[in-house]
Amino acid sequence: MDEADVGRAIKRIAHEMLERHRGADGLILLGVHTRGVPLASALAAAVSELGEPVPVGEIDIGPYRDDLGRRPTTRLGRTSLPVDPNDRTVVLVDDVLFTGRTIRAALDAVSDLGRPASIELAVLVDRGHRQLPIRPDYIGKNLPTSLDERVTVKVGAVDGDTGVWVERAL
Amino acid sequence: MSHLLTVEGLPREEIEEILDTAESFMEVLERDIPKVPALRGSTVATMFFEASTRTRLSFERAAKALSADVMTFNPGTSSVSKGESLKDTALTLQAMGCNLMVVRHQAVGAAHRIAEWVDCPVVNAGDGAHQHPTQALIDCLALRRRFGKLDGLRVSVVGDIRHSRVARSDAFAFTAMGASVTWVAPATLLPPSLEMFPVTATADLEPQLPDSDVIYLLRVQSERGATSGLPSSSEFAARYGMDLDRLARLPSEAVVMHPGPINRGVELAGAVADDPRSLIVEQVGVGVAVRMAVLFRLSGGQL
């Protein structure tokens, strides 16, 4: 996927979201650190362009991970919610959906911040190989991969350029 | 195995990462439920062989906010009073399944020794007049929150430097972060080997005032014999105490810090402690988050 493909996928997800909820009333977008954050902002901008402003926040799931001892943490990012999530629909936004463990941690993190009416999941890429019963509500692209392949997502705000690449590990 | 035993030699990038992680935990502490599950199932032992309330409570609060279990070791009511050695005490706690030890001891190097004996991370929470790494990180965060960065800040550390592990730790941490440090004290209250520290020293506070962005006051540690180097506490207050008159001679953006507990009327006048230019309350405020960051990163095998 190049930058234009990513842009089109985000626009389509914005439409799907507004169609499903008949507007953006009661929605909050919540970007999962690191690359979910600029994706959530881009998605919020796309939704606003359709005439429906939507609040956007960010969440770092570092303290909720189940593999702290196995994989050292990088520095923690910020968690901020622009509005009270209680009785609203929180849409988690992340770059790649893989095992589902990040989203499991994000669900715990959101529960600690309040009690949303519902939680949905938007991802730019679903590469399969789930280890938990988690499924996305909005998908930029289904990307069937094998386990020895590596999916790299770059987002302009973090990496300079934007796109999705699949490489076979050496 | 990684430990936090000293800030000497800790690179700027690592300090910045700890401070960034602490900022993230500041948000956690403001929640309705100020708790995350990061250290669920871990046990943190606080071993304070020397009197402390705020540091021990701050570490325990930090451990609990990360969902760790806490074992509190109290030498007064323990087998130490029956003559158990430091090593046996540490090994006993390890055998009980402790995953991280926080150690304060009156002897220099106690935490280093324990780190050699046990196979879990050790945090030095103060060893004699040597080091107090988390206090230095706390002071860095309090300053970074106020000024945005420490680069170029002129810090004057005033008072009983000889007996102060905070002064030594801060000297390394502040200079690593780009600040310059001057120690202000009578010769009797300066350490004997000044050349070991990245600081300049002077005996006169007055000329320092207009050129200081930060006045860092230290507690006069009478329990460590500081008063023997002093004529009297009123004379100390007259030459080195911070009052409103001296506060007025600082640059307008300058701040006053103190690691606590403060002796009102000795190191600083009560009105100075309560002034908006005092960062003392902020120092305590960021303390729990900084200690969370240290426990979190050590448990994740970093630092």
Side-chain angles (χ1 to χ4, degrees):
Chain A
M1 286 175 95
D2 62 18
E3 187 164 359
D5 294 330
V6 172
R8 279 189 286 271
I10 287 172
K11 283 209 175 67
R12 176 177 46 77
I13 292 174
H15 280 282
E16 284 177 11
M17 214 174 270
L18 292 178
E19 184 183 12
R20 181 191 289 212
H21 295 283
R22 294 181 182 145
D25 217 23
L27 289 183
I28 312 174
L29 305 187
L30 203 52
V32 180
H33 270 274
T34 307
R35 287 179 183 75
V37 175
L39 284 174
S41 306
L43 191 52
V47 172
S48 300
E49 262 177 45
L50 301 170
E52 300 266 358
V54 61
V56 57
E58 56 189 279
I59 193 161
D60 192 309
I61 56 100
Y64 293 85
R65 280 175 32 197
D66 58 6
D67 58 350
L68 189 62
R70 284 201 243 169
R71 210 155 53 95
T73 47
T74 50
R75 78 179 69 186
L76 287 183
R78 273 165 213 281
T79 293
S80 68
L81 265 181
V83 287
D84 186 348
N86 288 328
D87 304 320
R88 289 169 175 259
T89 293
V90 170
V91 183
L92 293 168
V93 183
D94 204 0
D95 53 352
V96 180
L97 181 59
F98 183 25
T99 61
R101 289 182 189 268
T102 299
I103 301 306
R104 194 281 307 157
L107 291 172
D108 283 353
V110 171
S111 309
D112 276 1
L113 296 170
R115 188 181 182 283
S118 62
I119 303 179
E120 297 180 349
L121 174 60
V123 295
L124 184 58
V125 173
D126 181 355
R127 66 165 293 188
H129 305 290
R130 215 80 74 237
Q131 295 169 353
L132 297 170
I134 282 170
R135 55 148 185 82
D137 299 277
Y138 312 97
I139 305 168
K141 190 173 179 64
N142 269 306
L143 207 57
T145 56
S146 68
L147 278 173
D148 60 357
E149 281 171 325
R150 198 184 168 80
V151 175
T152 306
V153 172
K154 290 190 178 175
V155 181
V158 179
D159 307 291
D161 50 350
T162 300
V164 179
W165 292 266
V166 182
E167 302 155 291
R168 187 167 290 277
L170 296 172
Chain B
M1 187 52 59
S2 49
H3 309 283
L4 180 61
L5 302 173
T6 175
V7 287
E8 186 177 355
L10 203 63
R12 176 181 185 143
E13 306 77 68
E14 274 191 39
I15 298 177
E16 297 266 13
E17 285 193 15
I18 297 168
L19 303 190
D20 291 347
T21 302
E23 286 279 4
S24 180
F25 286 131
M26 292 288 289
E27 179 274 323
V28 169
L29 292 170
E30 285 160 12
R31 293 181 189 171
D32 294 341
I33 308 166
K35 209 175 175 80
V36 289
L39 299 193
R40 207 169 41 143
S42 289
T43 300
V44 173
T46 55
M47 306 162 65
F48 281 65
F49 295 88
E50 189 184 72
S52 160
T53 41
R54 69 181 66 212
T55 305
R56 184 172 57 78
L57 288 174
S58 171
F59 267 109
E60 291 182 359
R61 171 97 169 78
K64 287 173 182 171
L66 292 168
S67 303
D69 293 316
V70 177
M71 289 200 289
T72 305
F73 167 81
N74 183 342
T77 58
S78 77
S79 292
V80 167
S81 56
K82 302 177 195 162
E84 190 178 41
S85 74
L86 187 64
K87 182 172 186 175
D88 289 329
T89 303
L91 293 178
T92 301
L93 285 178
Q94 169 165 283
M96 286 177 189
C98 135
N99 304 103
L100 194 151
M101 294 184 189
V102 179
V103 179
R104 166 169 291 188
H105 202 284
Q106 58 279 6
V108 170
H112 289 74
R113 292 296 281 152
I114 289 179
E116 290 165 14
W117 293 323
V118 300
D119 55 13
C120 67
V122 175
V123 178
N124 182 3
D127 58 333
H130 178 231
Q131 279 279 325
H132 191 359
T134 53
Q135 182 66 47
L137 295 169
I138 286 163
D139 295 338
C140 286
L141 185 56
L143 283 174
R144 198 178 78 167
R145 285 174 77 92
R146 174 62 68 103
F147 291 100
K149 58 183 168 52
L150 275 71
D151 294 279
L153 286 183
R154 298 160 299 174
V155 184
S156 295
V157 183
V158 185
D160 180 8
I161 289 156
R162 186 187 190 100
H163 299 94
S164 174
R165 52 193 171 217
V166 174
R168 287 171 178 79
S169 304
D170 277 347
F172 291 112
F174 289 168
T175 51
M177 294 292 285
S180 60
V181 177
T182 304
W183 281 351
V184 186
T188 49
L189 290 182
L190 282 172
S193 42
L194 269 178
E195 67 284 355
M196 289 168 60
F197 302 98
V199 300
T200 52
T202 173
D204 296 315
L205 175 61
E206 290 292 336
Q208 285 297 118
L209 293 172
D211 295 323
S212 297
D213 303 303
V214 180
I215 294 287
Y216 197 109
L217 302 161
L218 297 167
R219 190 171 61 88
V220 175
Q221 303 198 33
S222 37
E223 77 276 17
R224 292 189 210 278
T227 38
S228 65
L230 284 177
S232 72
S233 65
S234 60
E235 186 167 330
F236 178 87
R239 282 195 66 191
Y240 297 102
M242 205 64 197
D243 53 23
L244 287 174
D245 184 41
R246 285 188 173 133
L247 191 67
R249 264 172 279 164
L250 295 174
S252 55
E253 300 293 303
V255 294
V256 175
M257 301 174 79
H258 191 298
I262 58 177
N263 298 323
R264 279 179 194 249
V266 182
E267 303 105 26
L268 76 172
V272 175
D274 304 327
D275 191 272
R277 278 170 286 180
S278 158
L279 273 190
I280 297 170
V281 174
E282 283 84 345
Q283 284 173 274
V284 181
V286 302
V288 174
V290 167
R291 290 179 172 123
M292 286 172 77
V294 167
L295 298 178
F296 178 72
R297 290 172 62 87
L298 283 177
S299 302
Q302 281 198 327
L303 217 138

